[in-house]
Amino acid sequence: MITTTTPMEGAILKLPCLRSVSRNSNFTNRSSNSFPWRYRRLHISASAASASAPLAEGPKLGPGSLGHITRSDFPILHQEINGLKLVYLDNAATSQKPTAVIKALQNYYEAYNSNVHRGIHYLSAKATDEYESARQKVANFIHAAEAREIIFTRNATEAINLVAYSWGLSNLKPGDEIITTIAEHHSAIVPWQIVAQKTGAVLRFVNLTEDEVPDVGQLRDFLSRSTKLLVMHHVSNMLASVLPMDEVISWAHDVGAKVIVDACQSVPHMVVDVKNLDTDFLVGSSHKMCGPTGVGFLYGKSEILSGMPPFLGGGEMIADVYLDHSTYAEPPSRFEAGTPAIGEAIGLGAAIDYLSEIGMQQIHDYEMELGNYLYDRLSSVSDVRIYGPAPSRTVKRAALCSFNVKDVHPTDIATFLDQQHGVAIRSGHHCAQPLHRHLGISASARASLHFYNTKDDVDRFIDALKDTINFFTSFK
C-alpha cells in the first residue's frame, strides 16, 4: 500500500497496487387477485410525470434532457463525496432508487406490514393484494401472457438456479448439450456447471468475433438435436453488446431446445417483450431497475412451469402435507416457499410504475445517445482501451464502457476517481472472469449509465479520468 500526498487540496490518498493489469500491450481502440383493498397507483413526482411527455426533438443531452428532468427524484444523487458532488456511474452493478420507491417501502412497513396469503384480517389482505399487484406489474412490464408466469425470487441468480435445479436436473441426461457464451455472468455459468456434473450433460461455449461480440454465427453452427438448452445474456454487462435474441431463440427452438435469457442489463433499459421473443425463461433483478435489493423474478412459460418440480420445500408451496408425502401448489406458489420479500416486491412494483410513467422507449433512446457520447469521449483519451463493439448505425451498444488504461490498474483508477473527484465507477472482473481471461486481462474499469445521468456527468468523468491518468503517469 502506498501513501502519498498530492497537491489536490492537500488530501492524503491511499492507493492500492500500481501493477499493470494487462498481459499484452494492445491498448488501441477500435474506432391479480380479487381482494377488497385494491392497489392504488403511487403518485410519481411532477418531474417524473413531465418526463413521460415525448421529447420534442428526440433525445437531448443538454439542459432539459431526461437526465436533468428526473435527477430530482433520486435523493442519493444530491450529496457530496469527499467534498465533491457525486457522479454515480456504477449503474450496471445497481441502480439508484427514486423517492416513489423509497416511500412505497416505508408505506408498507408503516401502514400494512403483514404476511401474505395467510390471513383474513385487513393488513394481511392488503399486503397480499399489493404483493400480487406487483406480480401483475412485472408481467405487464415484460408483456407476459399472465401473472402466474412470474416467480418472485431473491435475485436473478436464484432465478437461474431455480431453472437449473428444477428443470435442468429433471430434463437433462448424459450427452445433452447446454450452449452458452464465454461472455456470461458467473450466475449463468456456475449453476449449469453443477447441473452438467450431476447429469452428464455437456457445456459448450460460444466465442467472440473480432469485434468482441458473442459469435451468433458460431452459436448457430453449434445448435443440433443434442442441444437441450441455450443460456444467454440479452445485453453484456462488460462488452455492452446487444444480442439479436429474437433470431437466436428461433434458431434454438428449431432444434427443440429451450432458452433462458439473462435480461438483467436489458429490462431496466429497453422495451422487453417475452411474447415477441418467444423465450421459455427470462430472469431479471429489481435492484438494477430502480427497485429494492433482495428481490428478482423468473418468467417462465406457464406450460413449462406447470411441469417442473419444486425448487425449495416448506410453507406456501404446498397443497397438502401428510406424514408420508406432500402435494404441491400450482405455479407461482410452487416456487415461492416460505415468507417472500413482500416489501421489496411492492417496491419493485413502484419502480415499474415509475419507469412506465417515463416510458421505456424514451429511456432507451436517451441512453443510446448518452452512451454513444460516453464512448466517443472515452475513446478520445490517450492510452485507453475500450472493450466490446464500436457503435455505428448498425451496431448498438448499451450505455456502458468497460476499459483499461495502459500501465494503470483499474482499481487504482476507481479509487482515485472516488477519493479525488467524487466519481463512482466499478473495477474488477464484473462477475465475468472467463471473458476477462479471453481478453488477456484480469480486471477492467467500467462506467455505466442510467437515464438519470447527464452529459455533465460524462464530462466530469472524462476530466477526472484525464487527471487520474496524469497523476499515475507522473511516477514514470
Side-chain angles (χ1 to χ4, degrees):
M1 189 74 71
I2 295 175
T3 302
T4 182
T5 302
T6 79
M8 289 161 290
E9 301 179 352
I12 302 297
L13 175 64
K14 291 186 177 180
L15 298 171
C17 56
L18 297 175
R19 65 188 182 279
S20 171
V21 65
S22 177
R23 297 202 302 267
N24 58 62
S25 59
N26 179 20
F27 274 82
T28 57
N29 277 320
R30 294 174 318 284
S31 322
S32 127
N33 286 3
S34 55
F35 285 88
W37 299 278
R38 300 309 305 163
Y39 180 78
R40 182 171 60 85
R41 188 178 185 88
L42 286 162
H43 175 69
I44 296 176
S45 70
S47 60
S50 65
S52 64
L55 294 173
E57 300 174 4
K60 297 182 294 183
L61 299 186
S65 73
L66 183 59
H68 287 89
I69 292 169
T70 57
R71 283 182 74 83
S72 62
D73 294 327
F74 294 83
I76 199 170
L77 299 179
H78 306 283
Q79 63 175 297
E80 292 186 347
I81 303 296
N82 297 321
L84 298 159
K85 181 182 176 183
L86 170 65
V87 175
Y88 184 79
L89 302 180
D90 194 20
N91 294 284
T94 198
S95 62
Q96 298 304 340
K97 321 306 174 194
T99 301
V101 171
I102 298 169
K103 287 184 175 180
L105 276 169
Q106 181 179 4
N107 187 43
Y108 165 70
Y109 285 111
E110 287 184 347
Y112 58 97
N113 173 50
S114 185
N115 216 325
V116 294
H117 305 138
R118 301 178 186 182
I120 61 171
H121 58 80
Y122 173 87
L123 296 181
S124 180
K126 182 170 176 62
T128 299
D129 195 29
E130 299 277 15
Y131 180 76
E132 292 302 329
S133 176
R135 192 192 309 278
Q136 184 65 59
K137 290 175 185 180
V138 175
N140 294 343
F141 194 67
I142 63 170
H143 302 275
E146 48 191 345
R148 67 191 183 103
E149 294 181 318
I150 304 300
I151 314 297
F152 283 129
T153 60
R154 289 184 304 152
N155 43 47
T157 298
E158 185 176 77
I160 294 172
N161 276 270
L162 191 164
V163 177
Y165 283 87
S166 180
W167 184 91
L169 292 180
S170 301
N171 288 277
L172 296 173
K173 60 185 186 298
D176 288 345
E177 293 182 354
I178 305 166
I179 296 177
T180 186
T181 82
I182 65 169
E184 300 306 314
H185 191 281
H186 295 162
S187 62
I189 295 177
V190 177
W192 301 108
Q193 290 176 333
I194 296 171
V195 166
Q197 291 167 0
K198 291 177 179 290
T199 63
V202 178
L203 271 168
R204 301 188 69 186
F205 292 91
V206 172
N207 218 317
L208 303 184
T209 67
E210 292 183 357
D211 294 325
E212 295 179 348
V213 177
D215 191 341
V216 294
Q218 183 185 51
L219 182 152
R220 192 170 193 178
D221 292 340
F222 277 5
L223 290 169
S224 72
R225 288 295 169 182
S226 295
T227 307
K228 301 305 176 186
L229 183 68
L230 176 62
V231 183
M232 287 190 74
H233 62 272
H234 192 178
V235 173
S236 171
N237 75 324
M238 194 262 181
L239 299 172
S241 50
V242 183
L243 299 183
M245 291 310 300
D246 50 351
E247 294 180 52
V248 169
I249 292 167
S250 177
W251 300 339
H253 286 168
D254 285 345
V255 299
K258 297 289 189 290
V259 181
I260 179 167
V261 177
D262 176 357
C264 289
Q265 300 293 340
S266 59
V267 166
H269 304 286
M270 63 178 67
V271 176
V272 173
D273 188 325
V274 295
K275 284 187 291 189
N276 283 347
L277 289 176
D278 196 29
T279 186
D280 302 288
F281 302 102
L282 179 142
V283 304
S285 191
S286 167
H287 74 94
K288 288 185 169 67
M289 49 192 295
C290 299
T293 58
V295 66
F297 65 88
L298 167 68
Y299 159 81
K301 289 181 177 177
S302 58
E303 62 270 22
I304 301 176
L305 293 175
S306 294
M308 289 166 51
F311 172 45
L312 299 173
E316 195 65 32
M317 49 73 64
I318 53 87
D320 292 291
V321 176
Y322 304 91
L323 293 181
D324 59 348
H325 74 283
S326 297
T327 58
Y328 308 124
E330 289 297 312
S333 297
R334 184 186 302 171
F335 304 106
E336 296 182 6
T339 298
I342 304 166
E344 288 78 3
I346 292 169
L348 171 57
I352 288 172
D353 285 342
Y354 182 86
L355 294 173
S356 299
E357 282 286 336
I358 300 170
M360 292 310 298
Q361 189 61 52
Q362 181 164 249
I363 287 173
H364 177 67
D365 292 345
Y366 175 73
E367 288 185 6
M368 286 300 94
E369 188 166 341
L370 189 62
N372 288 342
Y373 181 73
L374 169 65
Y375 185 94
D376 290 343
R377 291 231 52 198
L378 187 57
S379 62
S380 69
V381 180
S382 298
D383 293 329
V384 167
R385 159 76 150 90
I386 305 175
Y387 301 100
S392 68
R393 290 189 178 274
T394 58
V395 177
K396 305 300 182 185
R397 278 183 63 101
L400 66 90
C401 287
S402 298
F403 65 97
N404 272 309
V405 176
K406 185 177 181 181
D407 297 330
V408 185
H409 195 277
T411 300
D412 297 334
I413 294 170
T415 302
F416 196 93
L417 287 173
D418 175 62
Q419 294 187 359
Q420 296 298 316
H421 294 281
V423 176
I425 68 166
R426 185 146 296 252
S427 64
H429 53 65
H430 317 308
C431 291
Q433 286 181 314
L435 175 57
H436 278 75
R437 291 192 190 100
H438 174 82
L439 294 168
I441 55 176
S442 61
S444 62
R446 184 183 67 195
S448 51
L449 308 172
H450 216 334
F451 61 89
Y452 44 72
N453 287 121
T454 65
K455 179 176 177 287
D456 296 336
D457 290 337
V458 175
D459 291 338
R460 274 198 56 196
F461 161 61
I462 296 299
D463 290 344
L465 179 62
K466 290 178 179 178
D467 181 66
T468 302
I469 295 171
N470 289 337
F471 174 80
F472 284 104
T473 56
S474 69
F475 292 101
K476 293 182 180 179

Coordinates of all heavy atoms in Angstrom, one line a residue, residues 15 75 116 118 243 256 267 284 381 383 462 472:
L15 N -3.5 4.6 -2.0 CA -3.7 4.0 -3.3 C -3.4 2.5 -3.2 O -2.4 2.1 -2.6 CB -2.8 4.6 -4.3 CG -3.0 6.1 -4.6 CD1 -2.0 6.7 -5.5 CD2 -4.4 6.3 -5.2
P75 N -32.9 11.1 -4.4 CA -32.3 11.8 -3.3 C -30.8 11.6 -3.2 O -30.0 12.5 -2.9 CB -33.0 11.4 -2.0 CG -34.3 10.9 -2.5 CD -34.0 10.3 -3.9
V116 N -48.3 -12.5 3.8 CA -49.2 -12.6 2.6 C -49.8 -14.0 2.6 O -49.3 -14.9 3.0 CB -48.5 -12.2 1.3 CG1 -48.1 -10.7 1.3 CG2 -47.3 -13.1 1.1
R118 N -52.0 -15.6 4.0 CA -52.2 -16.4 5.2 C -53.2 -15.9 6.2 O -53.4 -16.4 7.3 CB -50.8 -16.7 5.9 CG -49.8 -17.3 5.0 CD -48.5 -17.5 5.7 NE -47.5 -18.0 4.8 CZ -46.2 -18.3 5.1 NH1 -45.9 -18.2 6.4 NH2 -45.4 -18.7 4.3
L243 N -27.5 -8.5 -28.1 CA -27.6 -9.7 -29.0 C -29.0 -9.8 -29.6 O -30.0 -9.4 -29.0 CB -27.3 -11.0 -28.2 CG -25.9 -11.1 -27.6 CD1 -25.7 -12.4 -26.9 CD2 -24.9 -10.9 -28.7
G256 N -35.5 -27.8 -31.1 CA -36.1 -28.4 -29.9 C -35.6 -28.0 -28.6 O -35.9 -28.6 -27.6
V267 N -33.8 -5.4 -19.3 CA -35.1 -5.0 -18.8 C -35.1 -3.6 -18.2 O -36.1 -2.8 -18.4 CB -35.6 -6.0 -17.8 CG1 -36.8 -5.5 -17.0 CG2 -36.0 -7.3 -18.5
G284 N -34.7 -11.4 -14.3 CA -34.5 -10.0 -14.1 C -34.2 -9.7 -12.6 O -34.6 -10.5 -11.8
V381 N -9.5 9.5 -25.2 CA -8.5 9.7 -24.2 C -7.3 8.8 -24.5 O -7.5 7.6 -24.8 CB -9.1 9.3 -22.8 CG1 -8.0 9.5 -21.7 CG2 -10.3 10.2 -22.5
D383 N -4.3 6.3 -24.4 CA -3.9 5.0 -23.7 C -5.1 4.3 -23.1 O -4.9 3.5 -22.2 CB -2.9 5.3 -22.6 CG -1.5 5.7 -23.2 OD1 -1.2 5.3 -24.3 OD2 -0.8 6.5 -22.5
I462 N -14.8 12.2 -17.6 CA -13.7 12.2 -18.6 C -12.6 13.2 -18.0 O -11.4 12.8 -18.1 CB -14.1 12.7 -20.0 CG1 -15.1 11.6 -20.5 CG2 -12.9 12.9 -20.9 CD1 -14.5 10.2 -20.7
F472 N -1.0 9.2 -12.3 CA -0.2 7.9 -12.3 C 0.9 7.9 -13.2 O 2.0 7.4 -12.9 CB -1.2 6.8 -12.5 CG -2.0 6.4 -11.3 CD1 -3.4 6.8 -11.3 CD2 -1.5 5.7 -10.3 CE1 -4.2 6.5 -10.2 CE2 -2.3 5.4 -9.1 CZ -3.6 5.8 -9.1

